[in-house]
Amino acid sequence: GNSVTQMEGPVTLSEEAFLTINCTYTATGYPSLFWYVQYPGEGLQLLLKATKADDKGSNKGFEATYRKETTSFHLEKGSVQVSDSAVYFCALSDPSGSARQLTFGSGTQLTVLP
Amino acid sequence: DAGVTQSPTHLIKTRGQHVTLRCSPISGHKSVSWYQQVLGQGPQFIFQYYEKEERGRGNFPDRFSARQFPNYSSELNVNALLLGDSALYLCASSLASTNQENTIYFGEGSWLTVV
């Protein structure tokens, strides 16, 4: 079956530090890959996505590249801000099924200190 | 435009009771999905409905059921509640059923506590 493995948290960084959150996946087909963010007390928001190999998703300074050869989709940001503190979820969607369902990783809590 | 709206936002139920959670998708969205998010974990897929038909079901017991109405809103029902059903229940909507280009949007969820 499909699965997503995320770097375990929590992760604590100082403002303006470089961020990497690792994500690897297992899928039977050619999935689409996503990063969702969950701010305290809120629902999930799509941060970025990539639908095919070598695609780079980017948004709000965050980037992730779909690497089929390493089955990875690591999230990076060059300079984090306090407002980036949240839980980040890597997810995949397998287009081969009849349903459009997301398979999520367990989430990585990020805290950015001023 | 309103996003995905869910109700109630918080509720407390006793073991053995039944609960109904409600979801209104973004206007124009015909696909609605439900996810369960236990504290400290990622969301787990429960159901997807598209055009009032069930398109997919996750690994949840028959105590969980759902339906979609002609206006595309949806209800999630859980019978015979267990303590382990305590979680954040998320509703998500998208334009179409399986098109990978369509973004899936989530509501803020309904917090269910079973005591």
Side-chain angles (χ1 to χ4, degrees):
Chain A
N2 299 326
S3 66
V4 175
T5 302
Q6 266 184 255
M7 169 177 149
E8 290 193 12
V11 174
T12 302
L13 296 173
S14 297
E15 205 164 23
E16 299 183 3
F18 183 84
L19 168 71
T20 299
I21 301 177
N22 290 337
C23 171
T24 57
Y25 68 89
T26 302
T28 52
Y30 298 93
S32 295
L33 301 174
F34 308 85
W35 278 99
Y36 278 84
V37 58
Q38 189 172 37
Y39 297 101
E42 299 185 14
L44 294 168
Q45 299 176 25
L46 178 65
L47 182 59
L48 54 83
K49 68 178 182 182
T51 57
K52 59 183 186 296
D54 299 326
D55 269 1
K56 177 185 282 188
S58 61
N59 186 26
K60 300 181 182 180
F62 291 89
E63 292 184 341
T65 301
Y66 188 162
R67 301 285 189 201
K68 184 169 178 291
E69 63 276 12
T70 54
T71 62
S72 65
F73 193 55
H74 304 321
L75 182 68
E76 297 182 337
K77 187 175 185 183
S79 176
V80 294
Q81 305 300 313
V82 172
S83 57
D84 294 327
S85 298
V87 181
Y88 292 81
F89 292 94
C90 184
L92 69 81
S93 175
D94 185 345
S96 64
S98 59
R100 178 95 192 277
Q101 68 180 76
L102 292 168
T103 300
F104 286 88
S106 57
T108 302
Q109 170 82 54
L110 170 66
T111 301
V112 181
L113 302 175
Chain B
D1 283 344
V4 179
T5 57
Q6 294 186 242
S7 63
T9 53
H10 295 82
L11 70 166
I12 300 174
K13 291 285 188 178
T14 304
R15 276 180 298 175
Q17 283 188 316
H18 162 270
V19 68
T20 297
L21 306 177
R22 295 177 176 83
C23 171
S24 293
I26 291 171
S27 178
H29 285 193
K30 298 180 178 180
S31 174
V32 171
S33 299
W34 288 94
Y35 289 78
Q36 180 196 63
Q37 186 180 10
V38 173
L39 197 62
Q41 297 182 19
Q44 298 288 318
F45 174 76
I46 310 175
F47 288 110
Q48 185 204 7
Y49 277 77
Y50 178 69
E51 291 279 16
K52 302 186 292 287
E53 292 188 2
E54 182 182 302
R55 288 300 182 95
R57 182 186 182 111
N59 188 24
F60 280 81
D62 292 343
R63 299 184 295 109
F64 288 77
S65 64
R67 55 180 176 167
Q68 187 177 33
F69 299 99
N71 66 353
Y72 303 111
S73 67
S74 177
E75 283 183 354
L76 175 69
N77 294 283
V78 187
N79 293 323
L81 285 167
L82 303 174
L83 295 179
D85 295 331
S86 296
L88 177 66
Y89 288 85
L90 294 165
C91 177
S93 77
S94 63
L95 276 171
S97 178
T98 58
N99 188 329
Q100 297 298 303
E101 293 298 321
N102 295 149
T103 298
I104 296 176
Y105 295 89
F106 283 82
E108 295 193 356
S110 294
W111 282 101
L112 170 65
T113 302
V114 182
V115 297

